[in-house]
């Protein structure tokens, strides 16, 4: 598929956005996506604009931003790709928050057990912590 030179998908009732992966086909010399139900923005890739600089490859897609007979680009809502990326970012923040809170809960449980079990364990633990802190403080850069 990387060496694809010609692609005519006109009159296929395609819907939604033009795939960004089409813009990565550097060998593509001819592309026709006219008369479909495409919407969103035409991918911004210098090679993509050289295929049909006059916009004839996108005629008949009235909800496609940037085509000859399409919508005005300033009034278009964010693409589903951008929305999906925002959702992934939110999920990543939530994931990191859950991992961090789990870590804090686990460490708190260890401290609580040390205090509840025995004075001897508690004293050994804090002596070990003091030794580590002294090694860090006394180390020379």
């Amino acid at each position: 598929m990387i060496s694809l030179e010609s692609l005519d998908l006109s009159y296929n009732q395609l819907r939604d956005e033009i795939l960004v992966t089409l813009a990565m086909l550097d060998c593509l010399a001819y592309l026709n996506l006219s008369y479909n139900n495409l919407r969103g923005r035409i991918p911004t890739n210098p090679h993509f604009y050289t295929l049909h600089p006059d916009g004839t490859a996108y005629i008949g897609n009235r909800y496609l931003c940037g085509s000859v007979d399409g919508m005005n680009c300033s009034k278009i809502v964010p693409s589903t790709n951008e929305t999906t990326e925002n959702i992934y970012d939110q999920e990543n923040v939530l994931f990191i928050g859950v991992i961090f809170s789990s870590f804090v809960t686990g460490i708190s449980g260890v401290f609580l057990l040390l205090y509840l079990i025995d004075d001897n364990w508690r004293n050994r633990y804090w002596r070990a912590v003091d030794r580590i802190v002294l090694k860090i403080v006394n180390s020379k850069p």
Side-chain angles (χ1 to χ4, degrees), residues 4-130:
L4 186 67
E5 294 179 3
S6 176
L7 183 62
D8 189 344
L9 295 172
S10 59
Y11 297 98
N12 276 299
Q13 298 178 354
L14 299 175
R15 292 181 295 165
D16 294 324
E17 297 180 352
I18 298 173
L19 295 175
V20 179
T21 53
L22 282 176
M24 294 182 212
L25 298 173
D26 291 330
C27 293
L28 194 63
Y30 175 78
L31 175 68
N32 189 354
L33 297 171
S34 60
Y35 300 102
N36 285 295
N37 294 317
L38 298 172
R39 65 177 179 85
R41 298 178 191 267
I42 297 172
T44 56
N45 182 315
H47 174 68
F48 218 67
Y49 287 122
T50 61
L51 295 174
H52 287 281
D54 59 352
T56 56
Y58 314 109
I59 290 177
N61 295 293
R62 65 182 189 173
Y63 298 110
L64 189 62
C65 175
S67 68
V68 176
D69 56 349
M71 293 177 58
N72 183 357
C73 293
S74 62
K75 295 180 183 179
I76 194 164
V77 296
S79 69
T80 56
N81 289 340
E82 293 170 358
T83 306
T84 304
E85 289 175 6
N86 290 340
I87 290 171
Y88 286 143
D89 289 343
Q90 291 171 356
E91 288 176 354
N92 287 342
V93 169
L94 179 63
F95 177 73
I96 291 170
V98 167
I99 295 296
F100 179 74
S101 63
S102 300
F103 178 75
V104 169
T105 303
I107 294 295
S108 300
V110 169
F111 287 139
L112 182 62
L113 281 175
L114 289 173
Y115 277 126
L116 293 178
I117 291 178
D118 189 11
D119 284 341
N120 190 20
W121 285 45
R122 185 174 40 231
N123 291 335
R124 275 193 261 165
Y125 172 76
W126 285 115
R127 274 185 263 147
V129 170
D130 286 340

